[in-house]
Amino acid sequence: MSDPLMPTYKRLPVSFRRGEGTWLEDEHGERYLDALAGIAVCGLGHAHPAVADALADQARTLVHTSNLYRIPVQEQLGERLVRLAGLERVFFANSGAEANEAAIKLARLYGHRRGVAAPRILVAGNAFHGRTLAALAATGNASAQEGFGPLPEGFRRIPYDDPAAAAAAADADVVAVLVEPIQGEGGIIVPSPGYLQALRELCDRHGWLLMLDEVQSGMGRTGRWFAFQHDGIRPDVVTLAKALGNGVPIGACLAGGPAADVLGPGSHGSTFGGNPLACRAGLAVIDTLERDGLLERAELLGERLRRRFHEALAPLDGVRMIRGRGLMIGIELETPCPELVGRALERRLLINVTAGRVIRLLPPLVLSDAEAEQIADTVIALVKEHLAAAAADRGTTPA
């Protein structure tokens, strides 16, 4: 029988039948330590009882109504999110790409109302904003765009972490800047101190919207509710998704200031976005993050893990950089290392390699001290073996 699924994913040779906390169990009963959390989705780990209870209760009550009607639990989640972000309004979608599409539409409408016939958004190199067409056009990865043209126009690409380049791109058509406060898919790239403040000042000077994609970095992963809160700024638009529902599909586009009232009735919509089931999951996530002090936990464990990686790996030839914030950690090597994903899987550890040579770690925020040590031990051993093999290929000895 042929595979009924479109081959859009290069899948690893494992499937999981259940999960609990930081662990997944495959169909043969083998347990795997999850240092990826579904790419930053399961911040509370797998099958968290608070989320499971909320979903079961809501599923027995009401799963879906159209956005033609008021949805009280959606209003409750919206109120919590805008308060946490210091913004004013929210639009709910189903994913990060949809949340970014909402932000892009919002920026264009904002521009048109200011008399800009062809509004443009500044976007950054190495960015990843999703795979729908407008989000793909905003994405700074040529290989992801290849073959899908013509892509929507209206984006101007600038180097990441370079406020001077953003300033130099200013012209009458620019209406907004869209960046990730930490680039995830691009290689866990943390910008220099002052970068977001500089963009904020630039946007204020020109009347642009500052729009931050926190699809991967949001909901506590960096030790704050949102990564921008490390920098003491207030953006105009913030997009969320991944960890917001702990696995239940939900995205959000938050807006404040001049962006708060741009979208109105008929300007945008979503059939499933913010339905009662997804919003109950979102409320359970926020309640649990607050109750269990998981933001502080992410910051503490992130610092501890990065310190261990620095001590064990930074002195070695072939390790370019160890970086991150909270439990969003990248280890960049000199040479490509995608094979480490499979080798980690053999040792029952789930990791990811992005940008070809950056080991990306995004474990659940419920990670225990012992589990963090196990991740560190395994990753350090894998990197040393990789470096030794690379050195052997070159006929040298690793430092």
Side-chain angles (χ1 to χ4, degrees), residues 92 112 131 140 142 148 176 197 204 208 271 273 278-279 288 317 332 341 354 369 378 398:
F92 285 109
H112 281 294
R131 295 182 186 275
F148 295 107
Q197 290 95 330
D204 290 341
W208 300 344
T271 295
C279 289
T288 305
D317 288 342
E332 182 174 359
V341 174
T354 189
D369 291 352
T378 307

Side-chain angles (χ1 to χ4, degrees), residues 28 32 42 71-73 102-103 105 111 141 229 252 322 333 336 339-341 345 373 391:
H28 306 295
Y32 296 74
C42 298
I71 302 175
V73 66
K105 286 183 67 176
N141 183 335
Q229 292 171 332
I322 296 157
L333 306 184
E339 78 282 2
L340 289 182
V341 174
L345 188 69
E373 287 299 310

Side-chain angles (χ1 to χ4, degrees), residues 65-86:
T65 62
S66 169
N67 276 303
L68 292 172
Y69 314 106
R70 287 186 59 192
I71 302 175
V73 66
Q74 184 186 97
E75 295 170 3
Q76 293 168 29
L77 180 59
E79 182 181 350
R80 296 283 294 277
L81 286 173
V82 297
R83 183 156 24 101
L84 292 172

Side-chain angles (χ1 to χ4, degrees), residues 21 23 29 32 53 83 103 121 148 168 178 192 204 223 235 273 283 298 315 321 326 344 356 368 380 382 385 390:
W23 295 86
Y32 296 74
D53 290 346
R83 183 156 24 101
I121 300 171
F148 295 107
L178 171 62
S192 306
D204 290 341
L283 285 169
M321 189 178 291
S368 71
I380 289 168
L382 286 166
E385 290 167 13

